[in-house]
Amino acid sequence: MFHKEGYKIISVAIVLFLGINVASYVAIQIKEWQIAIFIVTLAFLILILQFFRNPKRNTTIDDNTVIAPVDGKVVVIEEVFEKEHFNDNRLQVSIFMSPINVHVTRHPINGDVVLSKYHPGKYLVAWHPKASEENERTTVVVKNNLIEVLYRQIAGALAKRIVNYVVEGEKVIQGSDSGFIKFGSRVDVFLPIGTKINVTLDQKVRGGESVIASL
């Protein structure tokens, strides 16, 4: 199963794969070269297919938990001052996605969307300290009766297109699609001080399934 954001790119990749290999078969008489071209183009096609995969996730919906919005590795757990929306200290949990991770972004909690904003910006590497404030990014804030969570999609050096499906005022369901980041990046989650963090640095998490915090 592939994400809709990848349909066009996957179609182009398949056409290129077939075209290049047919051309090499017709134009190149050296069998070893034909095999080498086939292997290289097949590897490229597999990478594209893997990047846009959209596996079904079994989300256990629970208002007392905050789930990981994306697949990846936890690279930051710290108290920071969040100045875009809250203007106070929050617990930040950042998840870094490599190009081989699933890149679907999912809602970490149930609730009402109170903010959904796109910010154009730079394309610093995703782990750069200033990436959260200077890179292309989207900010989404969801609130329910128990908690208000801000999560931010951040583009990286390779990811230059962030897709955000969230509309202010709508109700969202924990684990449902929130957006997509193309070709590697990270997501920052900002939680109230005192929230119990259920993950550790360098831990790998699965979007829509891993519980990163509990109330």
Side-chain angles (χ1 to χ4, degrees):
M1 184 176 180
F2 300 104
H3 197 276
K4 61 184 179 181
E5 295 298 335
Y7 290 168
K8 183 176 181 179
I9 295 176
I10 290 172
S11 298
V12 171
I14 291 173
V15 170
L16 287 174
F17 171 76
L18 295 174
I20 291 172
N21 281 281
V22 169
S24 71
Y25 180 79
V26 172
I28 301 175
Q29 303 303 316
I30 303 174
K31 191 172 184 63
E32 288 78 7
W33 285 27
Q34 293 176 351
I35 294 173
I37 291 172
F38 174 79
I39 291 173
V40 171
T41 54
L42 179 62
F44 176 76
L45 178 60
I46 290 172
L47 284 173
I48 294 293
L49 295 176
Q50 176 175 285
F51 181 83
F52 287 103
R53 68 195 188 281
N54 187 16
K56 180 177 175 58
R57 293 292 164 81
N58 298 313
T59 302
T60 301
I61 297 177
D62 184 353
D63 283 339
N64 291 305
T65 64
V66 179
I67 61 172
V70 290
D71 289 22
K73 183 172 71 172
V74 177
V75 293
V76 173
I77 301 175
E78 63 182 6
E79 182 176 332
V80 299
F81 184 81
E82 199 294 304
K83 62 184 180 181
E84 180 179 359
H85 177 74
F86 295 116
N87 287 310
D88 63 14
N89 285 0
R90 296 277 151 166
L91 289 175
Q92 176 183 333
V93 178
S94 298
I95 301 169
F96 173 75
M97 294 170 285
S98 75
I100 64 173
N101 285 127
V102 173
H103 277 63
V104 180
T105 307
R106 308 172 197 272
H107 295 292
I109 62 171
N110 295 314
D112 298 310
V113 177
V114 298
L115 177 67
S116 179
K117 187 174 182 180
Y118 170 77
H119 303 269
K122 300 177 182 178
Y123 300 103
L124 303 172
V125 290
W127 57 85
H128 193 286
K130 294 185 178 180
S132 183
E133 296 181 354
E134 296 187 7
N135 276 21
E136 179 192 18
R137 61 201 182 278
T138 63
T139 300
V140 175
V141 179
V142 178
K143 183 179 182 180
N144 59 35
N145 292 331
L146 298 175
I147 192 173
E148 187 173 12
V149 174
L150 182 154
Y151 51 104
R152 185 174 290 136
Q153 296 174 300
I154 303 168
L158 294 177
K160 297 189 177 180
R161 181 163 180 237
I162 295 176
V163 181
N164 178 30
Y165 305 134
V166 184
V167 178
E168 289 183 10
E170 72 172 328
K171 290 184 178 295
V172 296
I173 300 173
Q174 191 176 41
S176 61
D177 279 13
S178 170
F180 196 91
I181 308 177
K182 296 185 177 180
F183 300 111
S185 193
R186 86 179 208 218
V187 170
D188 294 343
V189 182
F190 295 86
L191 305 163
I193 299 296
T195 304
K196 180 184 177 183
I197 304 300
N198 293 61
V199 291
T200 58
L201 286 176
D202 297 325
Q203 179 178 335
K204 293 182 179 180
V205 295
R206 286 167 60 87
E209 291 184 352
S210 300
V211 176
I212 62 172
S214 56
L215 309 184

